[in-house]
Amino acid sequence: MAKEQLAVAELIMNLILGKTENVSRVDFFPQKKKFPEDLPYEQPFPRATPESQGVSSRLLSAMIRELYSSKYTDMHHLMVLRHGKVICECNFAPYPAGMWHITHSMCKSITSMAIGLLVNEGKLTLDENIYKIFEDQLNPFTKVLRPVITVDNLLTMTSGVTFNESGIVSGNDWLGSYLSSQVSGRPGTTFQYNSLNTYVLSAIVTKRTGETLTDYLKPRLFEPLGITRYLWETCPKGITKGGWGLFLCMEDMAKLGQLYLQKGMWNDQQIIPAAWVETSTQKHTDSIPGTFGYGYQIWMEQRPESFEFNGMLGQNVVVYPDMDMVLVTNAGNNELFQNCVMLNIIRKYFSVEYMPKEQLPEDPSAYGILQKLIGSIQTGGKAPAIHGGWPKSARISARYPGKPCTTNCQPDPYPMFKQLNGRTYQLSPQSVGLFPLFIQVFHNNMTEGLREISFSYEKGIFYVLFLEGDTIHQIPVGFSTARQTWLTIHEEPYLIATSGEFTSDENGTPVLKLTLTFLEECVSRKIHIFFQDRQIQIRFLETPGKGMIMEGLESVTEELANKLIFATFRDNGGMTVVHRLMEGTIEPVVQGTLCPQKIISSQEQPL
């Protein structure tokens, strides 16, 4: 079971049990602001037809169609490069082009780049003991009991330190907690994926340079590559997270892959030492089952000599040196790491046996079909069918918000707009928030609970208003294409796209289905509102959600068996209780009662 999956499940267990605290928003998210739309890309890649670079447009069409139609994938962005030129790019509605996206653990590979630079500058060696590096932060008793954990152990995820992501929610001193934590086994022997290993690498950069990881990399990596749109979150102590928390644009992710494809060279300048690129992209240890080995914060891939910067749920930069290709993905899949449907689809089309030609004859018909397919996906339309041996287009799924329905797929919403206009419902329980749990636990931005929900119809736009804590969130809803707006919680703005559908359940009960897509993140929030007389029932879901988290529950409880509060649940037959608590937290149900202030006119019929 993947460590990040265990951490997510334990984080939510802590959330259920109230073992969380909101870290100061100012300290936790310094400089968090709206996406800087006024900054243009610098040094964009040239564009070319696939055939001019030896790749068939038909192959790319088939791959995109399969990624798009698979019920196990939730694609957000895709880019393919060959010979340093973009031959295919697709932004899956409602995700817009040029928008930065959370990278999760993909940024671990960037932290590895910083360590390579630090070593090259003579400020660090890989055999240094981290307890010597941070000796001033250890008490005398702790110093005696510490084993030797090297920088190399951090890079290869073989430190054995037990303090991981689950501990950061309830504490502000991540580095101190890591250094005082227990060590399982002998460091350097067993692969144990732990994002706090990467966080400590970031802390080492700060210790040796006096700069944050972000500031250290700005003149050495980001500026030379023309990367201007990025945000890297920090811990409460101001240390760049290192192992997660970086927002980056797809084309800039591709630049990092191209940089490593070129052995660290960019515009005839050696940005990353070639020797570091070579050693960090070699297998240093076996990794989790279903994967191909691990280098220095970099995963090996299936093709010989290929490798990957990998982030959970589908944030990837795949580098194929033998094909001179780079492939980039952003997604919200319900799977972690490399053994997943999305990457297996990509491996199918770029298999070990496949090798592109140096150049192919131009194929205007196939290229036109590819462009039409991409255009339809990007605007939220139905994927056009292809005649011949290619798969037929898939039906548009509700998990892709913002896509217009086909003929007669939902009733005319206008009468519902008028009936709901001005209605307010008081909610119970008041413990559920607009944020998906993934955002709450990874950004430590906990909900104050929804108290009321209202509806309004103004100037042709339908709004749903949520009262969360003391803040009113007015969200415009699109019924053909999703409508964008900013959702601000605890002074942190998040760009969302909201789509809606009026329908009914099997009993004829009117239902409003909302999908709130967090465009900078890899998650979406689904809110289904059922109307009965003067009552409503609201069911909350999120993607990715219950399936992945519940899968890790048994493993979490095994790892936490010696912790008193979890043992109490277990020993009193509490596993059933825990399952119910988890399910109720991940997919909560809230009741609402119509407030008496709303008076229904004679022209309106009760829902």
Side-chain angles (χ1 to χ4, degrees), residues 553-602:
L553 178 58
E554 294 298 333
S555 298
V556 169
T557 53
E558 288 176 9
E559 290 199 359
L560 303 177
N562 295 324
K563 296 186 179 182
L564 178 61
I565 192 163
F566 294 107
T568 300
F569 274 109
R570 180 200 60 205
D571 296 341
N572 290 280
M575 280 308 301
T576 300
V577 176
V578 170
H579 274 279
R580 289 176 180 172
L581 286 170
M582 287 283 282
E583 291 178 348
T585 301
I586 300 165
E587 297 184 352
V589 177
V590 172
Q591 308 298 326
T593 303
L594 183 65
C595 295
Q597 291 86 350
K598 169 62 180 177
I599 301 176
I600 303 175
S601 69
S602 58

Side-chain angles (χ1 to χ4, degrees), residues 121-189:
E121 293 171 4
K123 297 176 181 177
L124 182 69
T125 61
L126 299 187
D127 60 356
E128 286 191 66
N129 184 356
I130 65 169
Y131 296 112
K132 290 290 186 180
I133 296 175
F134 297 107
E135 188 172 16
D136 59 333
Q137 299 192 40
L138 299 174
N139 60 55
F141 180 74
T142 304
K143 291 179 184 179
V144 174
L145 300 177
R146 294 297 91 187
V148 174
I149 297 179
T150 65
V151 175
D152 188 279
N153 298 152
L154 299 180
L155 287 165
T156 57
M157 294 291 181
T158 59
S159 70
V161 175
T162 58
F163 181 74
N164 58 32
E165 295 93 325
S166 63
I168 66 176
V169 171
S170 57
N172 287 337
D173 187 3
W174 301 356
L175 180 59
S177 297
Y178 183 97
L179 295 173
S180 61
S181 182
Q182 294 181 346
V183 179
S184 62
R186 184 165 61 90
T189 59

Side-chain angles (χ1 to χ4, degrees), residues 8-299:
V8 171
E10 186 177 350
L11 284 166
I12 294 177
M13 286 286 287
N14 287 336
L15 187 66
I16 294 169
L17 298 169
K19 295 174 60 181
T20 62
E21 60 183 68
N22 264 315
V23 177
S24 166
R25 308 316 315 152
V26 175
D27 291 339
F28 199 78
F29 271 136
Q31 303 174 2
K32 181 71 167 72
K33 63 183 85 173
K34 293 183 178 181
F35 179 78
E37 297 173 353
D38 58 327
L39 292 176
Y41 269 125
E42 297 179 18
Q43 303 181 40
F45 288 107
R47 267 60 178 172
T49 64
E51 281 74 18
S52 71
Q53 306 305 308
V55 180
S56 166
S57 292
R58 295 180 184 274
L59 179 143
L60 294 174
S61 292
M63 182 181 70
I64 290 174
R65 191 174 296 276
E66 189 167 349
L67 289 169
Y68 180 73
S69 61
S70 171
K71 65 179 181 180
Y72 299 106
T73 63
D74 182 11
M75 298 299 299
H76 299 174
H77 304 283
L78 172 71
M79 179 174 283
V80 184
L81 288 80
R82 186 161 197 239
H83 300 327
K85 297 179 180 180
V86 176
I87 60 173
C88 180
E89 54 189 315
C90 184
N91 302 284
F92 295 71
Y95 296 90
M99 171 62 66
W100 65 21
H101 193 283
I102 190 68
T103 60
H104 286 306
S105 292
M106 173 261 151
C107 64
K108 286 180 170 67
S109 302
I110 302 176
T111 302
S112 172
M113 298 179 193
I115 295 299
L117 290 169
L118 208 59
V119 170
N120 189 61
E121 293 171 4
K123 297 176 181 177
L124 182 69
T125 61
L126 299 187
D127 60 356
E128 286 191 66
N129 184 356
I130 65 169
Y131 296 112
K132 290 290 186 180
I133 296 175
F134 297 107
E135 188 172 16
D136 59 333
Q137 299 192 40
L138 299 174
N139 60 55
F141 180 74
T142 304
K143 291 179 184 179
V144 174
L145 300 177
R146 294 297 91 187
V148 174
I149 297 179
T150 65
V151 175
D152 188 279
N153 298 152
L154 299 180
L155 287 165
T156 57
M157 294 291 181
T158 59
S159 70
V161 175
T162 58
F163 181 74
N164 58 32
E165 295 93 325
S166 63
I168 66 176
V169 171
S170 57
N172 287 337
D173 187 3
W174 301 356
L175 180 59
S177 297
Y178 183 97
L179 295 173
S180 61
S181 182
Q182 294 181 346
V183 179
S184 62
R186 184 165 61 90
T189 59
T190 305
F191 179 86
Q192 293 180 321
Y193 194 84
N194 183 350
S195 291
L196 269 296
N197 288 333
T198 320
Y199 168 78
V200 175
L201 290 172
S202 173
I204 289 172
V205 172
T206 299
K207 184 73 172 178
R208 289 293 165 88
T209 67
E211 299 178 284
T212 66
L213 176 66
T214 310
D215 290 339
Y216 176 75
L217 285 175
K218 183 177 180 181
R220 294 169 174 84
L221 179 67
F222 296 146
E223 289 181 348
L225 269 62
I227 297 176
T228 60
R229 306 188 190 193
Y230 60 90
L231 168 75
W232 210 332
E233 300 165 355
T234 67
C235 78
K237 299 291 187 180
I239 299 170
T240 304
K241 290 180 178 179
W244 70 103
L246 174 65
F247 294 82
L248 201 61
C249 293
M250 179 172 61
E251 188 151 354
D252 292 332
M253 293 171 64
K255 291 177 185 178
L256 297 168
Q258 188 68 28
L259 175 68
Y260 262 47
L261 183 62
Q262 297 167 179
K263 303 296 184 183
M265 289 287 293
W266 192 267
N267 291 338
D268 298 323
Q269 180 184 356
Q270 194 71 47
I271 304 298
I272 304 294
W276 182 259
V277 174
E278 183 175 352
T279 189
S280 61
T281 56
Q282 293 178 352
K283 178 180 174 180
H284 288 266
T285 183
D286 291 325
S287 48
I288 60 179
T291 60
F292 309 98
Y294 200 71
Y296 283 163
Q297 304 283 294
I298 293 172
W299 297 83

Side-chain angles (χ1 to χ4, degrees), residues 411 501-513 530:
E501 174 189 359
F502 279 112
T503 183
S504 58
D505 66 8
E506 63 276 9
N507 299 317
T509 302
V511 182
L512 171 60
K513 294 183 177 180
F530 296 77

